[in-house]
Amino acid sequence: LPSGPRGRDMSKQAQRNQQKRAAKRDAKAAEEAANAGPVRTSSASSGDLWQTALSLARGSCIVEYAPKLVDFLKENGEAKPSKESKEPAEGDEGEKEEPVAEATASSTFALLVSRMAWMNSLGLAEPKNAEDAVGKWQQMRKLEVDGGPRKSKRGSPSFDRIVVNFSQFLPQYFHALLVLAMLHAFLFRSYFACLPWLVLWQTVSLLIPLETMEKVPQVPLSQCPVKFRVAATLALNGLMLLFFAWELLWRMNFFVKFLVVGLLTLHAHSVKPLAA
């Protein structure tokens, strides 16, 4: 080893290089920790995503309002007779109960119009109305694209980010999946595939007003009982959900499924989640 002033200079240079390397390692570790966030186990993350999907299905329009169809379709509110309703005369009974049933059906139809707008056609538990749906789509559009988190020795930041984004925007990813399934059915199978037409008919059913339009007085819309409008809209929604599942599970081949799921997963991996 060299001795004297030259040896001391080399020793100092080695120490400085070692300090620089240690500072770089510390900075890299701090950056990885900031990008990775808190460590989450894959089982807990998958369980949270599954619970979110179940809550969306349990609170959907078809699950919430379909059991009420029996009461809506019965005339003059005869679904739940009570002792008090039997006391008045028969003529007065029909006059009192029918407007109540009609008002209930009208309010239900108004809720369906708000919850199953064209940008929220599935009618899931969330978003609750058209304004919330537009807000979620705007939030999703403004997410920052960074290409995915950096690799880390602790946890799985890529998997955690995918699960977090899916959990935060699961209804929007379901609707993106619906659009891709509609395009596949319409462009690659048949122009008369059921799924795109059911979505269109449901949207038209919700857009047609309950009262007769002045521009088209020949169509007596006000003469159609609201309860039948509610029943028709829910029937279209149920058929649309059925054909949506049928299109995904049985009509798409494996390579198309892989491409569709891969596109959604790539988006969830490439954007930063919303700040907690």
Side-chain angles (χ1 to χ4, degrees):
L1 294 176
S3 58
R6 184 178 179 183
R8 288 193 297 271
D9 293 340
M10 293 181 63
S11 176
K12 292 179 180 179
Q13 183 66 28
Q15 292 177 359
R16 286 195 293 268
N17 292 338
Q18 185 176 3
Q19 292 175 356
K20 289 181 180 179
R21 287 193 295 268
K24 288 182 179 179
R25 285 196 301 267
D26 295 340
K28 185 176 180 181
E31 185 177 358
E32 289 180 354
N35 292 331
V39 179
R40 297 180 59 183
T41 59
S42 58
S43 60
S45 301
S46 302
D48 294 342
L49 183 60
W50 177 247
Q51 290 299 325
T52 302
L54 285 180
S55 64
L56 290 176
R58 290 170 181 169
S60 61
C61 291
I62 191 66
V63 174
E64 184 175 352
Y65 296 111
K68 302 178 182 179
L69 279 179
V70 177
D71 295 334
F72 289 151
L73 295 178
K74 288 186 177 181
E75 297 179 356
N76 299 333
E78 295 178 355
K80 297 179 180 180
S82 60
K83 296 181 179 179
E84 298 179 356
S85 62
K86 295 180 181 180
E87 294 179 358
E90 294 181 358
D92 297 334
E93 183 179 357
E95 294 178 0
K96 292 182 179 179
E97 293 181 353
E98 187 173 358
V100 174
E102 190 72 13
T104 305
S106 299
S107 61
T108 302
F109 186 79
L111 289 174
L112 293 179
V113 171
S114 178
R115 291 187 59 178
M116 293 195 298
W118 66 269
M119 79 292 293
N120 197 38
S121 301
L122 294 175
L124 301 175
E126 296 291 340
K128 285 294 186 181
N129 50 55
E131 290 76 12
D132 293 344
V134 172
K136 292 295 290 186
W137 281 111
Q138 290 178 349
Q139 285 183 347
M140 190 176 186
R141 182 176 59 86
K142 294 178 181 178
L143 292 178
E144 181 183 354
V145 179
D146 62 354
R150 296 187 179 183
K151 294 182 179 180
S152 175
K153 294 182 179 180
R154 61 179 194 134
S156 178
S158 296
F159 180 79
D160 290 342
R161 172 180 284 196
I162 292 172
V163 172
V164 169
N165 281 328
F166 273 139
S167 299
Q168 291 178 345
F169 297 98
L170 191 58
Q172 285 66 44
Y173 282 112
F174 274 137
H175 284 87
L177 191 61
L178 174 63
V179 172
L180 294 175
M182 290 168 55
L183 292 175
H184 174 266
F186 189 78
L187 298 178
F188 298 103
R189 290 207 305 108
S190 172
Y191 292 153
F192 300 99
C194 292
L195 180 60
W197 289 102
L198 286 170
V199 175
L200 176 62
W201 293 335
Q202 174 184 295
T203 305
V204 172
S205 174
L206 294 169
L207 291 177
I208 294 177
L210 298 178
E211 301 295 333
T212 302
M213 295 182 291
E214 296 181 357
K215 296 182 179 180
V216 192
Q218 298 85 358
V219 182
L221 297 176
S222 58
Q223 296 182 10
C224 178
V226 184
K227 57 186 178 182
F228 293 138
R229 293 287 304 273
V230 174
T233 303
L234 289 176
L236 289 172
N237 182 252
L239 287 174
M240 185 263 289
L241 294 174
L242 178 63
F243 277 94
F244 179 35
W246 185 62
E247 189 74 30
L248 291 178
L249 298 178
W250 289 285
R251 301 306 296 177
M252 283 186 180
N253 59 48
F254 174 77
F255 296 102
V256 177
K257 291 178 184 177
F258 181 81
L259 177 62
V260 168
V261 175
L263 286 174
L264 300 181
T265 305
L266 178 63
H267 178 274
H269 176 268
S270 302
V271 297
K272 285 186 177 181
L274 292 175

